[in-house]
């Protein structure tokens, strides 16, 4: 039950966004992928969830091949992706956004249970079930996006920059929630972040991407102690 | 430099005109008449290329603009006995005014909205002819450019006269369009087409430039309308059906909607289709209904196939393939 | 006064049919962001299919569902075979922005050509299941007949069914999510490609009903060259635009507004303005309230 990526290469037209990257993400752990703008973090996540097509390489989750599958198939194998920028549908209500996450689930009773659980994790969403998603604050939207992904009963959660555009206090709150979710729901999480410091603080492991290649990988603590990583990404 | 280039181009058009003149003397009457029709289509298609390919505005109703040109030329000729050259000028001006009005509305609209609006115009406008007696209702009115001048000799036929007028008009208008497209205006249109925001940030008046494109395109369409009714001899609502707008659009897409140099491809194909359809129908001995509908089916199929398989026209396709090949070799 | 009431009644019935056409335009727009100018052609083809069923079974109540299924099938086929290829092939170059418009126009021509070839350009002749003779009040006859009542009831029922489908079912949620954000829908497990085809078939069904009722409400004749057909071709689009293109309610409002205005113009201004009147309304709406009567924010430039 690990996410295994090996020799993955992805092109964006003529540009090589991810160049021969290999890593594994152990089950039940939170792995932060950090790196500068344009390091290929988003491309990596989008490829794992089926939105982008790779040039070559392998990526498996639970022996299921993630590459060359469609996003709608991948989500059925327990992989949920929260894409960049508060991925909710503003025209739909909070309730409908959550329902959408469970739309492929046959067992509607279980889905309803998931919803109760999510609204107890995010009580603010529970209070606003019938509002349109575009009436929510930035932080609430990010919670809704994560809530929607959780409705798909994921084992592996791919998060793309949940801190983007949020106030520092809200960011802290979101990061704490992500940490709690990982532990309480036994999730495996890949967290892509520009906010390297915040991400490494809550993560078990870290991967530093630079220009499409893995620069350093290790436990979050070792990365935070690494003088080079500190100088380049943590700023002290 | 620019001046030099345009005068060299003028030379090209003069030589091309001379070749047409020689050819016109050597083929039979039917071919001469078809030549005149090709000239009409060249003018009409170049106006669509200017509008759609360069300024990025789609018009499904060019037939309506042709109708404006044709009716105003015919009214000027029949009611005020205007000389032929003047009727063409009037056709251009009248259609350009119509185009400018439409362009003001069009500049506020994009893609599908503009397409639908022009489509509604193409269906609606010809029916206006029934509203005013001066347009002669369904019967229409005559448009007679007169017999060829006697100085051209006795065996100079009427069709050849049409061909001369048509070819000259086509050469002049194509030369003009080519130069407009190469000018500052052409550049502004292309800039606005590919990115409106960027263009307006670089100081281009996008709306104004779109209206200008519509006006010029409409003027040229008006000329095409007058030429078309010259070859038919009558201007009536049935000469400007929706099918005409379809055909012209097909011609433009076949030519490559952004490549003026391909304009002959579309024009010749449009004229050839009925003939090819006829040959096919006779050879295969198909039913009578299929025979009548074959040209229409061929035009629509060609339009669809071109959009699917050569979307930017044969010339652009060739260029892209060439560029890609060159890039590969460079690697 | 009596004439005034009749004008309203005529306008509402005609408007109800335009609404159906507008709904099919909106459904296709929402599922694939394409204005389908071939929609009226597809409606016409479905009507011919219904006509064939009418010939065989001699019952309007069999012909109508046959036409609806035919419309759905034709529409799904076009989306599957044609539109998907189009999106793949002409998404670059100067043509990209106009390719879908030109392509659906080509389809319209092709469908008209096929119909003229198969049915020889003959009119579809359909007789409604109930009489089109108006109800009378005293010695006056209303421009409202059992047939017109049936038309209205059918349109209302279809509208309600579609609304329930969209607002209350998970298929409806998939349809809306795919329209607003295909990527998020996909990540949530919605099979967006299938949903798009479904959106097209619903549009085809709605168009088929419009075609059938347009035929029985007119003089019973409908062909590629008929005025009824040209009218359906532009009124569907115009009604959809008046309604703001995004909502089904808007499409119905747009259809009714258009139906009423045309009816009043024909009655009180001039009887031969039936093509110019819709065009003028369209221009007025686009210039004064470009987001449509029902639409709220998104401008016409997207």
């Amino acid at each position: 039950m690990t996410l295994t990526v090996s020799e993955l290469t992805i092109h964006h037209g003529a540009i090589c966004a991810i160049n021969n990257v290999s890593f594994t993400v152990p089950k039940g752990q939170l792995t932060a992928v950090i790196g500068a703008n344009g390091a290929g973090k988003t491309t990596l996540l989008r490829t794992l969830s089926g939105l982008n097509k790779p040039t070559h390489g392998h990526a498996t989750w639970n022996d299921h091949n993630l590459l060359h599958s469609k996003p709608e198939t991948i989500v059925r194998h327990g992989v949920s992706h929260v894409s960049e920028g508060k991925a909710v549908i503003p025209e739909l209500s909070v309730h409908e956004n959550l329902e959408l996450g469970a739309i492929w689930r046959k067992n509607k009773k279980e889905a309803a249970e998931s919803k109760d659980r999510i609204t107890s994790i995010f009580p603010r969403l529970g209070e606003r079930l019938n509002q349109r998603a575009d009436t929510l604050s930035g932080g609430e939207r990010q919670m809704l996006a994560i809530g929607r992904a959780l409705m798909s009963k994921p084992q592996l959660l791919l998060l793309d920059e949940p801190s983007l555009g949020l106030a520092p206090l809200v960011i802290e709150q979101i990061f704490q929630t992500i940490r709690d979710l990982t532990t309480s729901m036994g999730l495996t999480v890949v967290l892509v972040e520009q906010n390297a410091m915040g991400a490494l603080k809550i993560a078990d492991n870290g991967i530093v991407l630079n220009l499409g290649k893995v620069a350093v990988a290790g436990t979050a603590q070792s990365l935070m102690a690494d003088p080079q990583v500190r100088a380049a990404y943590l700023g002290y | 430099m620019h001046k030099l280039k345009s005068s060299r181009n003028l030379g090209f058009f003069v030589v091309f005109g001379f070749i047409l003149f020689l050819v016109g003397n050597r083929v039979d009457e039917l071919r001469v008449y078809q030549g005149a029709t090709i000239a009409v289509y060249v003018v009409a298609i170049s106006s669509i290329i200017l509008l759609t390919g360069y300024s990025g505005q789609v018009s499904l109703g060019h037939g309506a603009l042709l109708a404006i040109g044709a009716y105003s030329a015919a009214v000027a000729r029949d009611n005020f006995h205007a000389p032929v050259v003047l009727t063409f000028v009037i056709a251009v001006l009248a259609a350009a005014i119509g185009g400018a009005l439409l362009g003001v509305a069009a500049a506020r609209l994009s893609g599908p909205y503009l397409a639908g609006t022009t489509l509604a115009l193409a269906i609606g406008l010809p029916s206006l002819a029934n509203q005013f007696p001066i347009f002669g209702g369904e019967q229409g009115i005559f448009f007679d450019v007169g017999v060829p001048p006697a100085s051209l000799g006795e065996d100079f036929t009427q069709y050849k006269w049409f061909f001369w007028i048509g070819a000259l008009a086509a050469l002049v208008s194509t030369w003009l369009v080519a130069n407009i497209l190469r000018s500052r205006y052409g550049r502004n249109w292309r800039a606005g087409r590919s990115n409106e925001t960027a263009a307006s940030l670089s100081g281009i008046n996008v709306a104004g430039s779109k209206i200008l494109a519509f006006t010029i395109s409409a003027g040229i369409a008006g000329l095409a309308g007058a030429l078309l009714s010259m070859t038919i001899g009558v201007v009536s609502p049935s000469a400007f059906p929706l099918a005409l707008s379809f055909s012209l659009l097909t011609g433009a897409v076949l030519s490559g909607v952004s490549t003026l140099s391909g304009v002959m491809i579309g024009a010749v194909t449009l004229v050839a289709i009925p003939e090819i359809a006829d040959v096919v129908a006779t050879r295969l001995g198909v039913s009578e209904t299929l025979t009548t509908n074959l040209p229409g089916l061929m035009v629509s199929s060609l339009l669809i196939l071109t959009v699917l398989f050569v979307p930017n026209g044969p010339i652009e396709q060739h260029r892209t393939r060439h560029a890609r090949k060159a890039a590969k070799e460079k690697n | 006064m009596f004439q005034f009431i009749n004008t309203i009644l005529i306008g509402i019935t005609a408007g109800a049919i335009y609404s159906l056409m507008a709904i099919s335009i909106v459904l296709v727009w929402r599922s694939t962001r394409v204005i389908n100018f071939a929609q009226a052609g597809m409606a016409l083809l479905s009507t011919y299919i219904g006509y064939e069923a009418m010939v065989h079974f001699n019952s309007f109540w069999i012909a109508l569902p046959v036409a609806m299924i035919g419309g759905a099938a034709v529409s799904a086929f076009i989306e599957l075979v044609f539109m998907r290829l189009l999106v793949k092939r002409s998404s670059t170059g100067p043509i990209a922005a106009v390719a879908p418009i030109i392509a659906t126009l080509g389809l319209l021509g092709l469908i008209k050509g096929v119909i003229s070839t198969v049915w020889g350009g003959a009119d579809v002749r359909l007789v409604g299941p109930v009489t089109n003779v108006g109800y009378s009040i005293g010695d006056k006859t209303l421009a409202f007949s059992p047939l017109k009542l049936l038309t209205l009831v059918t349109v209302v029922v279809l509208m309600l069914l579609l609304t329930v489908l969209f607002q209350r079912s998970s298929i409806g949620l998939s349809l809306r999510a795919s329209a607003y954000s295909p990527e998020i829908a996909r990540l949530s497990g919605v099979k967006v490609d299938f949903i798009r085809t479904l959106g097209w078939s619903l549009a085809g069904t709605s168009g088929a009903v419009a075609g059938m009722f347009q035929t029985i409400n007119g003089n019973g004749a409908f062909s590629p060259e008929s005025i009824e057909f040209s009218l359906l071709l532009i009124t569907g689009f115009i009604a959809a635009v008046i309604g703001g293109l995004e909502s089904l309610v808007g499409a119905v409002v747009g259809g009714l507004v258009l139906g009423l205005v045309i009816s009043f113009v024909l009655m009180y201004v001039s009887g031969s303005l039936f093509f110019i009147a819709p065009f003028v309304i369209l221009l007025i709406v686009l210039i004064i309230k470009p987001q449509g009567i029902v639409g709220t924010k998104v401008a016409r430039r997207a």
Side-chain angles (χ1 to χ4, degrees):
Chain A
M1 286 276 271
T2 50
L3 169 67
T4 313
V5 174
S6 58
E7 292 167 3
L8 185 62
T9 300
I10 311 161
H11 280 89
H12 255 325
I15 302 154
C16 185
I18 290 287
N19 190 357
N20 200 22
V21 162
S22 305
F23 62 88
T24 52
V25 173
K27 187 197 176 215
Q29 299 207 343
L30 200 168
T31 301
V33 178
I34 59 175
N37 229 339
K41 307 183 300 283
T42 296
T43 310
L44 176 67
L45 274 206
R46 290 176 64 87
T47 308
L48 292 181
S49 66
L51 289 172
N52 284 12
K53 294 281 157 258
T55 317
H56 53 78
H58 305 278
T60 54
W61 165 254
N62 284 358
D63 299 326
H64 176 73
N65 182 6
L66 292 181
L67 308 181
H68 310 291
S69 292
K70 290 181 177 175
E72 54 263 39
T73 316
I74 290 174
V75 69
R76 286 167 168 76
H77 285 92
V79 180
S80 274
H81 179 180
V82 180
S83 49
E84 199 175 335
K86 304 173 194 96
V88 299
I89 300 185
E91 291 89 349
L92 301 182
S93 70
V94 171
H95 176 77
E96 287 168 333
N97 267 289
L98 289 176
E99 287 284 309
L100 184 63
I103 204 151
W104 57 272
R105 290 171 69 177
K106 293 278 179 292
N107 190 333
K108 291 298 161 195
K109 212 178 131 207
E110 268 182 41
E113 284 165 19
S114 295
K115 201 180 87 190
D116 291 342
R117 188 151 179 213
I118 289 160
T119 47
S120 69
I121 299 171
F122 302 112
R124 295 245 285 283
L125 296 183
E127 291 159 17
R128 291 164 171 74
L129 278 181
N130 292 318
Q131 289 181 15
R132 267 168 62 122
D134 53 6
T135 62
L136 300 182
S137 72
E140 287 164 349
R141 277 197 218 188
Q142 193 58 59
M143 289 172 193
L144 179 56
I146 295 173
R148 197 210 74 234
L150 292 177
M151 285 294 286
S152 305
K153 205 173 62 174
Q155 295 153 311
L156 173 63
L157 190 60
L158 308 172
L159 297 172
D160 197 350
E161 298 227 23
S163 75
L164 192 76
L166 297 180
L169 265 178
V170 185
I171 293 178
E172 210 165 293
Q173 202 184 344
I174 290 273
F175 276 155
Q176 195 51 53
T177 312
I178 293 169
R179 177 69 251 178
D180 294 347
L181 284 174
T182 315
T183 320
S184 68
M185 298 179 89
L187 292 172
T188 308
V189 178
V190 178
L191 169 66
V192 156
E193 261 302 334
Q194 292 252 46
N195 183 342
M197 191 64 194
L200 284 180
K201 267 188 189 163
I202 57 162
D204 300 304
N205 305 300
I207 295 168
V208 179
L209 277 188
N210 187 28
L211 297 175
K213 290 188 170 178
V214 176
V216 201
T219 64
Q221 276 169 337
S222 71
L223 286 182
M224 281 195 283
D226 185 321
Q228 269 185 309
V229 175
R230 278 166 65 158
Y233 299 100
L234 305 178
Y236 66 93
Chain B
M1 172 68 205
H2 185 251
K3 213 165 196 176
L4 188 80
K5 199 168 176 192
S6 89
S7 65
R8 199 190 313 152
N9 256 295
L10 187 60
F12 166 78
F13 279 94
V14 170
V15 170
F16 189 66
F18 187 68
I19 295 171
L20 277 182
F21 167 74
L22 291 180
V23 172
N25 280 333
R26 288 179 187 278
V27 294
D28 62 41
E29 276 289 87
L30 174 66
R31 296 284 173 236
V32 169
Y33 185 73
Q34 286 176 333
T37 317
I38 290 177
V40 175
Y41 284 140
V42 164
V43 177
I45 292 173
S46 68
S47 84
I48 293 185
I49 289 178
L50 187 151
L51 186 69
T52 306
Y54 283 79
S55 92
Q57 309 182 78
V58 64
S59 161
L60 305 185
H62 248 55
L65 296 169
L66 264 75
I68 295 179
Y71 271 103
S72 45
V75 168
R77 183 92 178 140
D78 292 353
N79 298 49
F80 306 100
H81 310 287
V84 176
V85 178
L86 186 61
T87 62
F88 287 142
V89 174
I90 290 171
V92 171
L93 291 179
I97 293 171
L101 291 177
L102 195 58
V104 172
R108 300 169 59 107
L109 306 174
S110 72
Y113 295 95
L114 180 57
T117 310
T118 49
L119 181 69
L121 182 71
I123 293 176
L125 195 74
S127 72
L128 257 193
N130 295 328
Q131 288 288 309
F132 304 99
I134 196 173
F135 297 134
E138 285 297 326
Q139 301 301 316
I141 45 180
F142 290 106
F143 181 55
D144 185 5
V145 294
V147 293
S151 57
L152 287 170
E154 281 203 349
D155 54 351
F156 196 91
T157 63
Q158 186 72 40
Y159 284 168
K160 198 181 263 182
W161 184 226
F162 288 167
F163 175 66
W164 274 39
I165 297 177
L168 185 66
L171 283 171
V172 170
S173 85
T174 316
W175 178 74
L176 270 174
V177 172
N179 279 296
I180 294 171
L181 292 183
R182 217 181 298 114
S183 73
R184 184 162 59 91
Y185 303 111
R187 276 200 308 279
N188 288 358
W189 291 332
R190 265 173 298 166
R193 181 194 72 198
S194 47
N195 190 335
E196 223 168 85
T197 319
S200 65
L201 285 176
S202 348
I204 296 170
N205 175 355
V206 176
S209 127
K210 279 183 162 181
I211 297 172
L212 182 70
F214 226 109
T215 312
I216 296 176
S217 169
I220 297 162
L223 176 64
L227 292 170
L228 179 66
S229 50
M230 167 189 79
T231 60
I232 305 172
V234 180
V235 188
S236 68
S238 61
F240 303 94
L242 195 55
L244 176 67
S245 299
F246 276 25
S247 301
L248 294 179
L249 198 61
T250 308
V253 174
L254 277 174
S255 308
V257 82
S258 63
T259 44
L260 184 66
S261 44
V263 67
M264 282 297 282
I265 303 174
V268 171
T269 313
L270 287 186
V271 172
I273 279 177
E275 203 159 320
I276 298 171
D278 198 45
V279 172
V280 170
T282 326
R283 282 274 172 78
L284 300 179
V286 294
S287 71
E288 199 178 311
T289 47
L290 184 56
T291 311
T292 19
N293 290 305
L294 201 53
L297 282 170
M298 283 173 71
V299 169
S300 325
S301 313
L302 256 181
L303 181 58
I304 292 173
L305 290 175
T306 317
V307 171
L308 285 183
F309 297 105
V310 223
N312 290 305
I315 294 179
E316 186 69 30
Q317 185 93 351
H318 181 75
R319 263 187 219 154
T320 334
R321 196 175 297 159
H322 218 72
R324 228 177 260 158
K325 218 178 182 181
K328 220 176 220 173
E329 274 162 16
K330 215 171 149 191
N331 279 345
Chain C
M1 185 59 207
F2 193 73
Q3 193 188 20
F4 183 79
I5 292 171
N6 268 351
T7 312
I8 290 181
L9 289 171
I10 293 170
I12 288 177
T13 323
I17 296 172
Y18 303 156
S19 301
L20 285 180
M21 237 19 244
I23 285 175
S24 51
I25 299 268
V26 167
L27 285 173
V28 165
W29 171 254
R30 284 174 47 142
S31 41
T32 45
R33 297 287 140 183
V34 169
I35 295 277
N36 183 10
F37 289 107
Q39 203 72 57
M42 285 150 66
L44 181 66
L45 183 56
S46 322
T47 312
Y48 272 95
I49 294 172
Y51 161 75
E52 286 298 321
M54 189 87 168
V55 170
H56 283 283
F57 302 104
N58 203 21
S59 157
F60 181 80
W61 296 115
I62 294 176
L64 183 63
V66 168
M68 288 165 78
I69 293 168
V74 167
S75 201
F77 175 80
I78 287 175
E79 202 280 326
L80 274 173
V81 175
F82 181 72
M83 295 312 287
R84 288 196 190 176
L85 193 62
L86 179 76
V87 171
K88 221 180 275 173
R89 305 238 16 148
S90 28
S91 53
T92 54
I95 191 104
V98 294
I101 299 167
I102 292 174
T104 59
L105 201 68
L107 265 181
L108 175 64
L110 193 63
I111 293 172
K112 278 173 74 171
V114 167
I115 291 174
S116 305
T117 309
V118 175
W119 283 278
D123 287 345
V124 182
R125 295 209 162 269
L126 282 176
V127 183
V130 289
T131 173
N132 200 9
V133 174
Y135 295 109
S136 35
I137 300 174
D139 57 346
K140 286 181 173 168
T141 309
L142 274 181
F144 194 71
S145 58
L147 183 66
K148 293 207 158 54
L149 181 64
L150 176 69
T151 308
L152 283 186
V153 169
T154 311
V155 172
V156 169
V157 168
L158 205 64
M159 263 296 302
L160 288 177
L161 284 178
L162 280 174
T163 310
V164 170
L165 177 75
F166 265 84
Q167 300 297 336
R168 297 266 175 269
S169 75
S170 68
I171 285 190
L173 182 58
S174 302
L175 279 160
R176 283 182 295 150
S178 310
Y180 293 129
S181 171
E183 187 174 297
I184 293 179
R186 214 165 243 148
L187 288 174
S188 306
V190 175
K191 291 175 176 164
V192 173
D193 289 338
F194 168 75
I195 289 294
R196 283 182 172 156
T197 312
L198 183 70
W200 273 70
S201 3
L202 285 175
T205 313
S206 166
V209 179
M212 293 292 279
F213 277 91
Q214 176 81 336
T215 311
I216 55 174
N217 268 291
N219 52 10
F222 198 32
S223 78
E225 304 311 324
S226 67
I227 287 173
E228 282 83 0
F229 171 68
S230 302
L231 208 51
L232 217 50
L233 180 67
I234 54 174
T235 48
F237 169 77
I238 296 176
V241 169
I242 295 177
L245 266 186
E246 290 287 349
S247 85
L248 296 184
V249 179
V252 173
V253 174
L256 290 178
V257 167
L258 193 63
L260 284 169
V261 174
I262 294 178
S263 169
F264 273 92
V265 169
L266 293 187
M267 186 68 81
Y268 292 102
V269 185
S270 160
S272 56
L273 287 177
F274 44 77
F275 284 130
I276 291 298
F279 174 70
V280 173
I281 298 166
L282 175 67
L283 274 188
I284 294 174
V285 168
L286 285 176
I287 289 169
I288 295 177
K289 208 162 183 303
Q291 69 277 32
I293 290 181
V294 176
T296 43
K297 49 188 170 107
V298 198
R300 285 297 122 110
R301 294 184 167 274

